[in-house]
Amino acid sequence: MSRNQDARILAIGDSLLSWNSALGSSIPDVMAKELGQPVVDRSFSGAWMLTRDEGDEGRGLNVPYQYEPGNWDWVVVNGGGNDLLFGCGCGRCGTVMNRLISEDGESGQIPDLIRHIRAQGARVIYPGYLRSPNLLTPIEHCKNDGDELEARIARFADTDEGVFYISMQDIVPPGGLTYFAPDLIHPSRKTSRKVAERLASAIRQLNARP
């Protein structure tokens, strides 16, 4: 969705968010329908969390550069998976992992980005990645690193009442082949819908808190 001056929700991240956007069925698309308000989607398939100097044209590939200041109530952020998959092949990823987020959750690109967003007043939701129980997928070997990444993000979220990590590890049932696109990596349309419904429900509940 293009920039909307009335929008109060921004989505930045990688293909978990952007997948199915051509069909109007991406996670931000469905969130907008569920919440009845616009969601500005700046996520990009293939985006890395770790920033690299690629000039203005390459900045959209880095999640932190997708963020733009605004009167956001909520910013949905995801990322880190491509860094682990392509940066170290999900093996011996200690250095990349620590650059993303330290073991104690206190430092790294992810905490830096979230603190920057929080300093401007928005609350942050960080959805986790999908899992693929009882399925052999091209990224199955990344499971342990994905678990560790999200454990660290959850640890960080516990330190800030305006940051919420939301796990998606139970979205795909055992053997749930139809929950994935044909590449067995990205979400099918129904899975994007399920993730979006969970995020929208969380926002509604959190908005209702005194």
Side-chain angles (χ1 to χ4, degrees):
M1 185 175 292
S2 60
R3 187 71 168 94
N4 184 318
Q5 294 300 319
D6 297 324
R8 304 304 297 268
I9 302 173
L10 172 68
I12 60 175
D14 59 28
S15 56
L16 174 70
L17 299 182
S18 68
W19 207 253
N20 296 312
S21 59
L23 303 171
S25 303
S26 69
I27 290 169
D29 288 330
V30 178
M31 286 183 66
K33 296 170 187 173
E34 286 287 312
L35 293 169
Q37 60 178 295
V39 176
V40 173
D41 180 15
R42 299 199 68 198
S43 63
F44 191 91
S45 184
W48 288 47
M49 178 60 71
L50 295 174
T51 54
R52 294 166 290 173
D53 185 10
E54 299 185 52
D56 290 341
E57 291 185 359
R59 287 193 167 198
L61 294 176
N62 299 129
V63 177
Y65 293 139
Q66 295 171 6
Y67 176 74
E68 58 178 309
N71 294 321
W72 311 116
D73 291 329
W74 290 97
V75 179
V76 179
V77 182
N78 95 294
N82 288 323
D83 303 80
L84 295 174
L85 180 61
F86 300 113
C88 53
C90 291
R92 298 182 179 178
C93 285
T95 299
V96 173
M97 183 79 73
N98 288 331
R99 288 180 63 199
L100 288 168
I101 182 167
S102 60
E103 186 173 3
D104 62 7
E106 289 297 313
S107 63
Q109 185 79 75
I110 293 173
D112 287 349
L113 172 60
I114 295 176
R115 288 189 180 110
H116 175 64
I117 295 169
R118 291 283 296 130
Q120 299 186 48
R123 287 185 285 179
V124 173
I125 281 187
Y126 206 112
Y129 287 104
L130 302 171
R131 298 299 190 272
S132 51
N134 296 350
L135 290 173
L136 182 61
T137 72
I139 57 172
E140 188 63 24
H141 62 293
C142 292
K143 181 182 182 302
N144 290 340
D145 289 301
D147 290 347
E148 177 63 21
L149 174 69
E150 292 182 25
R152 295 183 182 194
I153 294 169
R155 202 167 293 139
F156 172 73
D158 286 342
T159 68
D160 187 328
E161 63 182 10
V163 179
F164 305 90
Y165 160 73
I166 299 184
S167 174
M168 299 297 164
Q169 295 185 28
D170 63 338
I171 290 283
V172 180
L177 191 64
T178 61
Y179 283 71
F180 290 97
D183 63 6
L184 293 181
I185 297 175
H186 296 100
S188 65
R189 292 177 68 185
K190 74 174 177 182
T191 304
S192 290
R193 186 186 75 248
K194 287 178 179 293
V195 172
E197 289 171 349
R198 181 170 293 186
L199 296 178
S201 176
I203 286 176
R204 281 193 295 265
Q205 291 178 36
L206 292 165
N207 282 342
R209 286 184 179 179

